[in-house]
Amino acid sequence: MVKKQRVGVIGLGLIGGSIALALKDEYEVCGYDVDARTREYAAEHVCKPCEISEMRDCVAVFVCVPLWCMSESLKTVSELLPNVLLTDVGSVKTPFAGICKRYVGGHPMAGVERGGIRSAKRNLFKDAYWVITDGGADGATVEDIVSHTGATVVRMTAKEHDIAVARYSHVPHAAAYALVNASSDTAPIAGSGFLDTTRIAQSDEKFWTEVFALNGDNVARELDALICELENIKGMVKRREYPALSEYLRGARQKREALNRVDMGGEALYVDLIDRVGEFERVTGIISKAKINMINIALVPSREGALGALRLEFSTQADKAAAERVLKERGYAAK
């Protein structure tokens, strides 16, 4: 039997624990966490606990600590493991470039609202994007390891990554916080539009303060762009330029529709629901019985607080077409 290569994971929370679970079939995974109860749970359910100094023979070590202590942690681990390839999972990349001898920046674009090792999932990264910011041999090594998690690897520079996440992640969070604070009350009529748009404002403020600090220049520039667009809308409304406003909104709608394939990582199919008990299970059951694999699912209300449509996502156009066919055969409106 060929001996498995060892991979280390430092920080066994949601992301680190999920990495360990996803890799344990292909690699011998060892993990470290500062919390004793986390190590005890890991020993029984996730991976073999060990000290950082015992990871010297690992082909790579994933550093999965909070963003606010990532820089110091990478330096410390690099001193303990000077010849070991390190990679991280931080949502900002340029501050850590060149911080240690062998380092490949990484960012898995996946997660759930609950944190901690008990929320770790083997399939958390399946069909999710995982950014890798090194193009050399070490980058290829990390890409090979990451491929075993089921993620889709995207290569880009650290600078390109930080510009992209500022636009598509960091500024939307800032806008959500601003929308909540701009609302002086929380009247009962605040329905799904407001709630869906501001859901991410429930995110941890310590984490996002650190993100804005580490990626400040990019965030500030993208905020300027957003403010410019809002000023543009405000000007058209104040001047009653409604044909121009309609054209502006149409252009935005078309751009958003073009994102439907990439915003959650797959081919999207919308299914109108019938207002009856068990409808959710009925629709997904039809697809399951047809042996069609879904990679994501979400409820999209048709009006405030009312039953609407299911957004189903598939990894291929063929799976989407097959699902659309079997649902229409059962009388569902799907497109």
Side-chain angles (χ1 to χ4, degrees), residues 115-231:
I117 193 170
R118 293 177 183 272
S119 298
K121 301 177 184 298
R122 178 187 292 265
N123 293 321
L124 181 67
F125 309 108
K126 182 173 173 55
D127 298 311
Y129 292 117
W130 193 308
V131 175
I132 292 178
T133 63
D134 181 275
D138 282 345
T141 298
V142 174
E143 180 171 352
D144 182 61
I145 297 171
V146 165
S147 69
H148 293 292
T149 69
T152 299
V153 171
V154 177
R155 291 291 193 103
M156 59 178 66
T157 67
K159 182 178 179 180
E160 289 170 338
H161 169 274
D162 288 359
I163 291 172
V165 293
R167 181 172 301 156
Y168 297 116
S169 175
H170 303 171
V171 165
H173 276 80
Y177 287 118
L179 275 171
V180 172
N181 283 332
S183 304
S184 58
D185 57 27
T186 53
I189 62 170
S192 62
F194 181 84
L195 296 176
D196 290 347
T197 304
T198 60
R199 176 185 56 82
I200 54 178
Q202 299 174 95
S203 302
D204 180 68
E205 66 277 4
K206 182 177 181 180
F207 171 81
W208 281 101
T209 299
E210 189 69 12
V211 167
F212 295 151
L214 289 172
N215 203 23
D217 290 343
N218 290 319
V219 171
R221 184 176 59 253
E222 294 300 328
L223 280 171
D224 282 340
L226 174 60
I227 291 168
C228 181
E229 294 298 328
L230 291 172
E231 289 286 354

Side-chain angles (χ1 to χ4, degrees), residues 27-84:
Y27 297 89
E28 179 187 340
V29 182
C30 56
Y32 172 80
D33 196 278
V34 295
D35 183 72
R37 288 175 297 181
T38 296
R39 293 196 300 270
E40 291 173 4
Y41 183 89
E44 185 174 354
H45 301 284
V46 179
C47 66
K48 178 182 177 182
C50 72
E51 296 299 319
I52 296 175
S53 59
E54 298 177 286
M55 297 183 181
R56 291 190 178 91
D57 62 343
C58 288
V59 64
V61 170
F62 289 80
V63 181
C64 307
V65 301
L67 193 61
W68 60 267
C69 64
M70 182 66 75
S71 180
E72 192 61 36
S73 295
L74 285 171
K75 291 177 183 177
T76 299
V77 175
S78 181
E79 291 173 359
L80 291 170
L81 308 172
N83 298 313
V84 177

Side-chain angles (χ1 to χ4, degrees), residues 9 51 55 190 261 335:
V9 180
E51 296 299 319
M55 297 183 181
R261 195 206 176 282
K335 62 180 181 178

